[in-house]
Coordinates of all heavy atoms in Angstrom, one line a residue:
Q126 N -46.0 38.6 -80.5 CA -46.1 38.0 -79.2 C -45.0 38.5 -78.2 O -45.3 38.8 -77.1 CB -45.9 36.5 -79.3 CG -47.1 35.8 -80.0 CD -46.8 34.3 -80.3 OE1 -45.6 33.9 -80.4 NE2 -47.8 33.5 -80.4
K127 N -43.8 38.7 -78.7 CA -42.7 39.2 -77.9 C -43.0 40.7 -77.4 O -42.8 41.0 -76.3 CB -41.4 39.2 -78.6 CG -40.2 39.6 -77.8 CD -38.9 39.4 -78.6 CE -38.8 40.3 -79.8 NZ -37.5 40.1 -80.5
N128 N -43.6 41.5 -78.4 CA -43.8 42.9 -78.0 C -45.1 43.0 -77.1 O -45.2 44.1 -76.5 CB -44.1 43.7 -79.3 CG -42.8 43.8 -80.2 OD1 -41.7 43.6 -79.7 ND2 -43.0 44.0 -81.4
H129 N -45.9 42.0 -77.0 CA -47.1 42.1 -76.2 C -47.1 40.9 -75.2 O -48.1 40.2 -75.0 CB -48.4 42.1 -77.0 CG -48.5 43.2 -78.0 ND1 -47.8 43.3 -79.2 CD2 -49.2 44.4 -77.9 CE1 -48.1 44.4 -79.8 NE2 -48.9 45.1 -79.1
A130 N -46.0 40.7 -74.6 CA -45.8 39.5 -73.8 C -46.8 39.4 -72.6 O -47.2 38.3 -72.2 CB -44.4 39.4 -73.2
A131 N -47.2 40.6 -72.1 CA -48.1 40.6 -71.0 C -49.6 40.6 -71.4 O -50.5 40.5 -70.6 CB -47.9 41.9 -70.1
E132 N -49.9 40.6 -72.7 CA -51.3 40.6 -73.2 C -51.6 39.3 -73.9 O -50.7 38.6 -74.4 CB -51.4 41.8 -74.2 CG -51.0 43.1 -73.6 CD -51.1 44.2 -74.6 OE1 -51.9 44.1 -75.5 OE2 -50.3 45.1 -74.5
S133 N -52.9 39.0 -74.0 CA -53.3 37.9 -74.8 C -53.6 38.5 -76.2 O -54.5 39.3 -76.4 CB -54.6 37.3 -74.2 OG -55.1 36.3 -75.0
I134 N -52.9 37.9 -77.3 CA -53.1 38.5 -78.6 C -53.6 37.3 -79.5 O -53.5 36.1 -79.2 CB -51.8 39.0 -79.2 CG1 -50.7 38.0 -79.3 CG2 -51.3 40.2 -78.3 CD1 -49.6 38.5 -80.1
D135 N -54.1 37.7 -80.6 CA -54.6 36.8 -81.6 C -53.5 36.3 -82.5 O -52.9 37.0 -83.3 CB -55.7 37.5 -82.5 CG -56.3 36.5 -83.5 OD1 -56.2 35.3 -83.4 OD2 -56.9 37.0 -84.5
S136 N -53.0 35.0 -82.2 CA -51.9 34.5 -83.0 C -52.5 33.5 -84.0 O -52.7 32.3 -83.7 CB -50.9 33.8 -82.1 OG -50.4 34.7 -81.2
R137 N -52.6 34.0 -85.2 CA -53.4 33.1 -86.2 C -52.8 33.2 -87.6 O -52.4 34.3 -88.0 CB -54.9 33.6 -86.2 CG -55.8 32.7 -87.0 CD -57.3 33.0 -86.7 NE -57.5 34.4 -86.3 CZ -57.8 35.4 -87.1 NH1 -57.9 35.2 -88.4 NH2 -57.9 36.6 -86.6
L138 N -52.7 32.1 -88.2 CA -52.3 32.0 -89.6 C -53.4 31.3 -90.4 O -53.8 30.2 -90.1 CB -51.0 31.2 -89.7 CG -50.5 30.8 -91.1 CD1 -50.1 32.0 -91.9 CD2 -49.3 29.8 -90.9
S139 N -53.8 32.0 -91.5 CA -54.9 31.4 -92.3 C -54.5 31.3 -93.7 O -53.8 32.1 -94.3 CB -56.1 32.4 -92.3 OG -56.6 32.7 -90.9
I140 N -54.8 30.1 -94.3 CA -54.5 29.8 -95.7 C -55.7 29.3 -96.3 O -56.4 28.4 -95.9 CB -53.4 28.8 -95.8 CG1 -52.1 29.3 -95.1 CG2 -53.1 28.5 -97.3 CD1 -50.9 28.3 -95.3
S141 N -56.1 29.9 -97.5 CA -57.3 29.4 -98.2 C -56.9 29.3 -99.7 O -56.0 30.0 -100.2 CB -58.5 30.4 -98.0 OG -58.1 31.7 -98.5
S142 N -57.6 28.4 -100.3 CA -57.4 28.3 -101.8 C -58.8 28.2 -102.5 O -59.7 27.6 -101.9 CB -56.6 27.1 -102.1 OG -57.3 25.9 -101.8
Y143 N -58.9 28.7 -103.6 CA -60.2 28.7 -104.4 C -60.0 29.0 -105.8 O -59.0 29.6 -106.2 CB -61.3 29.6 -103.7 CG -60.8 31.1 -103.6 CD1 -61.1 32.0 -104.6 CD2 -60.2 31.5 -102.5 CE1 -60.7 33.3 -104.5 CE2 -59.8 32.9 -102.4 CZ -60.1 33.7 -103.4 OH -59.7 35.1 -103.3
A144 N -61.0 28.7 -106.6 CA -61.0 29.0 -108.1 C -61.9 30.2 -108.3 O -63.0 30.3 -107.7 CB -61.4 27.8 -108.9
E145 N -61.4 31.1 -109.2 CA -62.2 32.3 -109.4 C -61.7 33.0 -110.7 O -60.5 33.2 -111.0 CB -61.9 33.4 -108.3 CG -62.6 34.7 -108.5 CD -62.2 35.7 -107.4 OE1 -61.1 36.3 -107.4 OE2 -63.1 35.8 -106.5
D146 N -62.6 33.2 -111.6 CA -62.3 33.9 -112.9 C -61.2 33.2 -113.7 O -60.2 33.9 -114.0 CB -62.1 35.4 -112.7 CG -63.2 36.1 -112.1 OD1 -64.4 35.7 -112.4 OD2 -63.1 37.0 -111.3
N147 N -61.2 31.9 -113.9 CA -60.2 31.2 -114.6 C -58.8 31.3 -113.9 O -57.8 31.2 -114.6 CB -60.1 31.6 -116.1 CG -61.3 31.2 -116.9 OD1 -61.8 30.1 -116.7 ND2 -61.8 32.1 -117.7
Q148 N -58.8 31.5 -112.6 CA -57.6 31.5 -111.9 C -57.7 30.7 -110.6 O -58.8 30.5 -110.1 CB -57.3 33.0 -111.4 CG -56.9 33.9 -112.6 CD -56.6 35.3 -112.0 OE1 -57.3 35.8 -111.1 NE2 -55.6 36.0 -112.6
V149 N -56.6 30.2 -110.1 CA -56.6 29.5 -108.8 C -55.9 30.5 -107.9 O -54.8 31.0 -108.2 CB -55.8 28.2 -108.9 CG1 -55.6 27.6 -107.5 CG2 -56.6 27.2 -109.7
V150 N -56.6 30.8 -106.8 CA -56.1 31.8 -105.8 C -55.7 31.1 -104.5 O -56.4 30.3 -104.0 CB -57.2 32.9 -105.6 CG1 -56.6 34.0 -104.7 CG2 -57.7 33.4 -106.9
V151 N -54.6 31.5 -104.0 CA -54.1 31.1 -102.7 C -53.9 32.4 -101.8 O -53.2 33.3 -102.2 CB -52.8 30.2 -102.7 CG1 -52.4 29.8 -101.3 CG2 -53.0 29.0 -103.6
V152 N -54.5 32.4 -100.7 CA -54.4 33.6 -99.8 C -53.8 33.2 -98.5 O -54.3 32.2 -97.8 CB -55.8 34.2 -99.6 CG1 -55.6 35.5 -98.6 CG2 -56.5 34.6 -100.9
I153 N -52.7 33.8 -98.1 CA -52.0 33.5 -96.8 C -52.1 34.8 -96.0 O -51.5 35.8 -96.3 CB -50.6 33.1 -97.1 CG1 -50.6 31.8 -98.0 CG2 -49.9 32.8 -95.7 CD1 -49.2 31.4 -98.4
S154 N -52.8 34.7 -94.8 CA -52.9 35.8 -93.9 C -52.4 35.5 -92.5 O -52.5 34.4 -92.1 CB -54.4 36.2 -93.8 OG -55.0 36.6 -95.1
D155 N -51.8 36.5 -91.9 CA -51.4 36.4 -90.5 C -51.8 37.6 -89.7 O -52.2 38.6 -90.2 CB -49.9 36.2 -90.5 CG -49.1 37.4 -90.9 OD1 -49.1 38.4 -90.2 OD2 -48.5 37.4 -92.0
T156 N -51.7 37.4 -88.4 CA -52.1 38.5 -87.5 C -50.8 39.0 -86.8 O -50.8 39.3 -85.6 CB -53.1 38.0 -86.4 OG1 -52.5 36.8 -85.7 CG2 -54.4 37.5 -87.0
G157 N -49.7 39.1 -87.6 CA -48.5 39.5 -87.0 C -48.3 41.0 -86.9 O -49.3 41.8 -86.8
T158 N -47.0 41.4 -87.1 CA -46.7 42.9 -86.9 C -47.1 43.7 -88.1 O -47.2 45.0 -88.0 CB -45.2 43.0 -86.6 OG1 -44.5 42.3 -87.7 CG2 -44.8 42.4 -85.3
G159 N -47.3 43.1 -89.2 CA -47.6 43.9 -90.5 C -46.3 44.5 -91.0 O -45.2 44.4 -90.4
I160 N -46.5 45.1 -92.2 CA -45.3 45.7 -92.9 C -45.6 47.3 -92.9 O -46.6 47.7 -93.4 CB -45.3 45.2 -94.3 CG1 -45.1 43.7 -94.3 CG2 -44.1 45.8 -95.0 CD1 -45.3 43.0 -95.7
P161 N -44.6 48.0 -92.5 CA -44.7 49.5 -92.6 C -45.0 49.9 -94.0 O -44.5 49.4 -95.0 CB -43.4 50.0 -92.1 CG -42.8 48.9 -91.2 CD -43.3 47.6 -91.9
E162 N -45.9 50.9 -94.1 CA -46.3 51.4 -95.5 C -45.2 51.8 -96.4 O -45.2 51.5 -97.6 CB -47.3 52.6 -95.3 CG -47.9 53.1 -96.6 CD -48.9 52.1 -97.1 OE1 -49.5 51.4 -96.4 OE2 -49.0 52.1 -98.4
N163 N -44.1 52.4 -95.8 CA -43.0 52.9 -96.6 C -42.1 51.7 -97.1 O -41.1 51.9 -97.9 CB -42.2 53.9 -95.8 CG -41.5 53.3 -94.6 OD1 -42.2 52.5 -93.8 ND2 -40.3 53.7 -94.3
L164 N -42.4 50.5 -96.6 CA -41.5 49.4 -97.0 C -42.2 48.3 -97.9 O -41.5 47.5 -98.5 CB -41.0 48.6 -95.8 CG -40.2 49.4 -94.8 CD1 -39.7 48.5 -93.6 CD2 -38.9 50.0 -95.4
K165 N -43.5 48.5 -98.1 CA -44.2 47.5 -98.9 C -43.7 47.4 -100.3 O -43.7 46.2 -100.9 CB -45.7 47.9 -99.0 CG -46.5 47.7 -97.7 CD -48.0 48.0 -98.0 CE -48.7 48.1 -96.6 NZ -50.1 48.6 -96.8
D166 N -43.3 48.4 -100.9 CA -42.9 48.4 -102.3 C -41.4 47.8 -102.5 O -41.0 47.6 -103.6 CB -42.8 49.8 -102.9 CG -44.2 50.4 -103.1 OD1 -45.2 49.6 -103.1 OD2 -44.4 51.6 -103.1
R167 N -40.8 47.5 -101.3 CA -39.4 46.9 -101.4 C -39.3 45.5 -101.0 O -38.2 44.9 -101.1 CB -38.5 47.8 -100.5 CG -38.5 49.3 -100.9 CD -37.3 49.9 -100.1 NE -36.0 49.3 -100.4 CZ -34.9 49.5 -99.7 NH1 -34.9 50.2 -98.6 NH2 -33.8 48.9 -100.1
I168 N -40.4 44.9 -100.5 CA -40.2 43.6 -99.9 C -39.8 42.5 -100.9 O -39.3 41.4 -100.5 CB -41.5 43.1 -99.2 CG1 -42.7 43.0 -100.1 CG2 -41.8 44.1 -98.0 CD1 -43.9 42.4 -99.5
F169 N -40.1 42.7 -102.2 CA -39.7 41.7 -103.2 C -38.3 41.9 -103.8 O -37.9 41.2 -104.7 CB -40.7 41.6 -104.3 CG -42.1 41.1 -103.8 CD1 -43.2 41.9 -103.8 CD2 -42.2 39.8 -103.3 CE1 -44.4 41.5 -103.4 CE2 -43.5 39.3 -102.9 CZ -44.5 40.2 -102.9
E170 N -37.6 43.0 -103.3 CA -36.3 43.3 -103.8 C -35.3 42.3 -103.2 O -35.3 41.9 -102.0 CB -35.9 44.7 -103.4 CG -36.6 45.8 -104.0 CD -36.1 47.2 -103.5 OE1 -35.1 47.2 -102.8 OE2 -36.8 48.2 -103.7
P171 N -34.3 41.8 -104.0 CA -33.3 40.9 -103.6 C -32.5 41.6 -102.4 O -32.2 42.8 -102.5 CB -32.4 40.7 -104.8 CG -33.3 41.0 -105.9 CD -34.2 42.1 -105.5
F172 N -32.2 40.8 -101.4 CA -31.4 41.2 -100.2 C -32.0 42.3 -99.3 O -31.4 42.7 -98.4 CB -30.0 41.7 -100.7 CG -29.3 40.6 -101.4 CD1 -29.0 40.8 -102.8 CD2 -28.8 39.5 -100.9 CE1 -28.4 39.8 -103.5 CE2 -28.1 38.5 -101.6 CZ -27.9 38.7 -102.9
F173 N -33.3 42.6 -99.6 CA -34.0 43.5 -98.7 C -34.6 42.8 -97.6 O -35.4 41.8 -97.8 CB -35.0 44.4 -99.4 CG -35.8 45.3 -98.5 CD1 -35.2 46.4 -98.0 CD2 -37.1 44.9 -98.0 CE1 -35.9 47.3 -97.1 CE2 -37.7 45.8 -97.1 CZ -37.1 46.9 -96.7
T174 N -34.3 43.1 -96.3 CA -35.0 42.4 -95.2 C -35.1 43.4 -94.0 O -34.3 44.3 -93.8 CB -34.1 41.2 -94.7 OG1 -34.8 40.5 -93.6 CG2 -32.7 41.6 -94.3
T175 N -36.2 43.2 -93.2 CA -36.4 44.0 -92.0 C -36.0 43.2 -90.8 O -36.1 43.7 -89.7 CB -37.9 44.4 -91.9 OG1 -38.7 43.2 -91.8 CG2 -38.3 45.3 -93.1
K176 N -35.5 41.9 -91.0 CA -35.1 41.1 -89.9 C -33.7 41.4 -89.4 O -32.9 42.0 -90.1 CB -35.2 39.6 -90.2 CG -36.6 39.1 -90.6 CD -36.6 37.6 -91.1 CE -38.0 37.2 -91.5 NZ -38.0 35.8 -91.9
E177 N -33.5 41.1 -88.1 CA -32.2 41.4 -87.5 C -31.1 40.6 -88.2 O -31.4 39.5 -88.8 CB -32.2 41.1 -86.0 CG -32.5 39.7 -85.7 CD -32.8 39.5 -84.2 OE1 -33.6 40.3 -83.6 OE2 -32.3 38.6 -83.6
V178 N -29.9 41.0 -88.1 CA -28.8 40.3 -88.7 C -28.7 38.8 -88.2 O -28.8 38.6 -87.0 CB -27.4 41.0 -88.3 CG1 -26.2 40.2 -88.9 CG2 -27.4 42.4 -88.9
G179 N -28.6 37.9 -89.2 CA -28.5 36.5 -88.8 C -29.8 35.8 -88.9 O -29.9 34.6 -88.9
R180 N -30.9 36.5 -89.1 CA -32.3 35.9 -89.1 C -32.8 35.9 -90.5 O -33.8 35.2 -90.8 CB -33.2 36.6 -88.2 CG -32.9 36.4 -86.7 CD -34.2 36.5 -85.9 NE -35.1 35.5 -86.2 CZ -36.4 35.5 -85.7 NH1 -36.8 36.6 -85.0 NH2 -37.2 34.5 -86.0
G181 N -32.3 36.6 -91.5 CA -32.8 36.6 -92.8 C -31.8 37.1 -93.8 O -31.0 38.0 -93.5
T182 N -31.9 36.5 -95.0 CA -31.0 36.9 -96.1 C -31.6 38.0 -97.0 O -30.9 38.6 -97.8 CB -30.6 35.7 -97.0 OG1 -31.8 35.2 -97.6 CG2 -30.0 34.6 -96.1

Side-chain angles (χ1 to χ4, degrees):
Q126 289 173 337
K127 184 173 67 176
N128 295 338
H129 299 78
E132 305 173 33
S133 176
I134 66 169
D135 182 18
S136 299
R137 184 164 34 89
L138 169 65
S139 304
I140 302 182
S141 60
S142 65
Y143 55 91
E145 177 184 79
D146 298 330
N147 291 317
Q148 294 180 319
V149 170
V150 184
V151 180
V152 181
I153 301 175
S154 298
D155 67 70
T156 57
T158 53
I160 304 168
E162 186 67 32
N163 63 318
L164 300 181
K165 283 183 193 176
D166 293 337
R167 299 193 59 196
I168 62 171
F169 295 113
E170 293 179 10
F172 302 108
F173 176 78
T174 180
T175 58
K176 296 179 182 178
E177 61 190 47
V178 175
R180 291 206 65 191
T182 62

